[in-house]
Amino acid sequence: MGFIGQNGAGKTTLAQILCGLVKQTKGQILLEGKNTRPAGRLREIYYCGNDTGTQFFTASVWEELLLQSGFTENRKERAAHLLKEFGLYAYRDTHPSAMSGGQKQLVGLAQSLIRRPALLLLDEPLSALDLNYQFHVMDVVSRETRRRNMVTLVVLHDINIALRHAAQVIMLKEGKLIDSGDPQTVIHAESLAQVYGVRGRVERCAQGRSMVIVDGAIEK
């Protein structure tokens, strides 16, 4: 599921509320029908922010993954699999501080997946990645989400990424829910105008995929 909306809409705040980093003021947060607040439930939730460089200790990439795995069964095989999926296997003995911002982002994603959470929250996971890795990472995350039967919520700024990869989207504006559901029905000319203040349209490309085309900003 993708969280979409303009800057300051509340996407990151909502993600942080869901994982307990920001205190909720009312209501309940349920995971598989049970409250997420008990400590035992919080261990099933993992939040990966876009400041991945602050999440590392003093270990190599390989050691970081093994630490995050919780010393569970087949942890070395799973760590090797994720490093290969993200193109990081050649950097397994490298310390994250010696890596680029995009590579650190990939290490953070690998860390989040090796923990096998029931609910994974990714806050702008594509912000430091080039176009190739943006699509590659979303393919890996989508595939791992289905394979592990988990819930993945992703804060996204690229609406076309949401159209291509998200099964559902939540569209926010100024902390309020505008719409939610299938991205093909939520994202349209009217919602683009309301939320982003742009004159836009959704059209099909030559391969039949939906894509957003922005013709200009709406004058205020």
Side-chain angles (χ1 to χ4, degrees):
M1 175 178 285
F3 290 171
I4 59 175
Q6 62 184 169
N7 293 336
K11 303 182 296 296
T12 293
T13 299
L14 177 56
Q16 292 179 342
I17 288 173
L18 290 174
C19 67
L21 290 176
V22 174
K23 185 177 181 180
Q24 67 192 86
T25 56
K26 58 183 178 180
Q28 286 186 314
I29 300 172
L30 303 179
L31 177 61
E32 297 176 338
K34 298 178 182 178
N35 199 306
T36 62
R37 292 284 76 90
R41 298 296 290 174
L42 288 175
R43 284 195 292 269
E44 301 177 42
I45 303 171
Y46 188 81
Y47 173 80
C48 182
N50 55 18
D51 56 343
T52 52
T54 66
Q55 299 176 17
F56 304 124
F57 300 99
T58 58
S60 67
V61 170
W62 177 255
E63 292 166 329
E64 287 283 354
L65 285 191
L66 295 186
L67 286 169
Q68 291 291 338
S69 70
F71 301 97
T72 53
E73 185 180 0
N74 299 325
R75 62 194 180 101
K76 291 185 178 180
E77 291 84 351
R78 290 191 289 115
H81 167 74
L82 287 170
L83 289 178
K84 290 175 182 176
E85 285 278 21
F86 288 120
L88 294 171
Y89 194 74
Y91 301 92
R92 60 191 180 278
D93 296 323
T94 304
H95 188 274
S97 64
M99 303 174 79
S100 69
Q103 289 171 330
K104 290 178 184 177
Q105 198 98 352
L106 295 174
V107 174
L109 288 167
Q111 282 183 329
S112 66
L113 287 170
I114 203 168
R115 292 170 64 100
R116 293 180 170 175
L119 174 60
L120 174 61
L121 298 128
L122 303 176
D123 190 356
E124 297 186 43
L126 311 178
S127 60
L129 303 180
D130 60 36
L131 285 175
N132 182 294
Y133 264 113
Q134 286 182 21
F135 282 93
H136 177 67
V137 164
M138 289 305 298
D139 281 339
V140 173
V141 170
S142 298
R143 185 165 62 249
E144 293 293 322
T145 296
R146 292 191 297 269
R147 187 169 71 86
R148 299 160 188 256
N149 195 31
M150 65 183 182
V151 177
T152 301
L153 305 178
V154 187
V155 175
L156 292 168
H157 276 296
D158 192 321
I159 306 175
N160 285 318
I161 291 285
L163 276 169
R164 183 184 179 96
H165 294 281
Q168 302 280 313
V169 294
I170 290 177
M171 181 177 277
L172 301 171
K173 181 181 181 181
E174 298 176 351
K176 297 180 180 179
L177 175 65
I178 300 301
D179 200 359
S180 64
D182 187 322
Q184 304 291 335
T185 61
V186 172
I187 301 171
H188 47 76
E190 290 76 15
S191 63
L192 292 172
Q194 179 184 3
V195 173
Y196 294 96
V198 297
R199 290 181 286 104
R201 49 202 160 89
V202 179
E203 295 191 355
R204 297 277 183 180
C205 71
Q207 295 182 339
R209 297 184 182 276
S210 297
M211 59 184 298
V212 170
I213 298 174
V214 176
D215 297 312
I218 296 175
E219 296 184 5
K220 297 181 179 180

